[in-house]
Amino acid sequence: PREKFEVMVVDDGSTLRIDDVIDRFADQLNISLIHKLNNGPASARNKGAEMANGKFLAFTDDDCKPDSDWLVELQDCLSKNSDCLVGGKTLNLLTHNLYSTASQMICELSYNHYNVNHDRANFFCSNNMALPRDKFFEIGSFDERFKTAEDRDLCKRWKNYGFNMIYCPKAIIYHAHELTLTGF
């Protein structure tokens, strides 16, 4: 239900006006739009986390479509493991795009390697993760010096603090990251 979560949309310096899109959802969702200068995904995620009021934070990206049960699955896992970082499964929506498919394969290989034991995982992509807000700030949030791989750094620091990570493959997002050879 709308009262159980809030949506923080961080416009990280885009040239597109999305205010009208956000306004269309204002009667359905507890949604806020935050405008900021383009400083990369780590900075945008941190700004959204700072503005959020919830006990838990869940992150995804503008090129992702969460499954209808995404938050329910994350909440279910966090209710049993409230001090853990939880990561879900990412599926490629652009199977016709060779580079997007290759990127997805790399993600899957990483998950298979680092998350063999679902209850003792080691890496999640930041487009599909949730964690306790207080612990997120305790470890220093996302390092804004990273313009990419901020998720790898966060996961490493999370583990270095002695916190656990759990893989929740039922928390699914569909990734539509249109890649070219140069972008890949």
Side-chain angles (χ1 to χ4, degrees):
R2 171 192 169 116
E3 314 76 54
K4 298 283 186 179
F5 69 98
E6 62 187 334
V7 177
M8 312 304 286
V9 177
V10 181
D11 179 354
D12 190 28
S14 74
T15 57
L16 301 173
R17 300 277 308 154
I18 62 169
D19 300 69
D20 294 339
V21 175
I22 301 302
D23 290 344
R24 285 190 296 214
F25 291 97
D27 61 336
Q28 301 166 33
L29 299 171
N30 179 5
I31 190 167
S32 299
L33 175 59
I34 302 161
H35 293 281
K36 61 179 291 313
L37 297 176
N38 184 343
N39 290 317
S43 174
R45 292 181 206 293
N46 288 344
K47 187 63 170 177
E50 288 170 19
M51 304 300 291
N53 296 304
K55 179 179 177 183
F56 297 106
L57 304 169
F59 294 100
T60 193
D61 291 342
D62 62 347
D63 60 0
C64 295
K65 178 185 173 189
D67 190 68
S68 61
D69 290 336
W70 178 66
L71 279 179
V72 172
E73 294 296 341
L74 290 173
Q75 177 192 19
D76 183 50
C77 193
L78 284 167
S79 70
K80 298 171 189 161
N81 309 281
S82 63
D83 61 343
C84 291
L85 189 158
V86 176
K89 184 174 188 151
T90 301
L91 300 174
N92 179 28
L93 265 179
L94 305 178
T95 55
H96 64 281
N97 182 309
L98 178 66
Y99 308 107
S100 300
T101 300
S103 177
Q104 175 65 32
M105 290 172 66
I106 291 169
C107 181
E108 288 175 11
L109 286 170
S110 296
Y111 271 48
N112 290 339
H113 176 76
Y114 289 110
N115 305 327
V116 173
N117 181 343
H118 289 193
D119 293 331
R120 295 278 176 214
N122 291 291
F123 168 69
F124 299 124
C125 296
S126 53
N127 65 3
N128 189 0
M129 67 167 54
L131 66 165
R133 185 179 190 275
D134 61 342
K135 289 194 179 348
F136 174 75
F137 288 109
E138 181 181 334
I139 69 164
S141 61
F142 286 104
D143 187 334
E144 296 182 17
R145 294 175 296 178
F146 287 89
K147 299 305 176 197
T148 185
E150 76 285 350
D151 42 17
R152 288 156 186 81
D153 172 69
L154 182 93
C155 291
K156 182 178 179 182
R157 284 185 290 118
W158 185 269
K159 296 296 278 190
N160 285 343
Y161 269 73
F163 301 142
N164 194 27
M165 295 171 56
I166 295 177
Y167 180 45
C168 179
K170 290 183 179 180
I172 297 171
I173 59 121
Y174 301 94
H175 197 197
H177 189 62
E178 190 77 45
L179 287 172
T180 62
L181 177 59
T182 305
F184 177 74

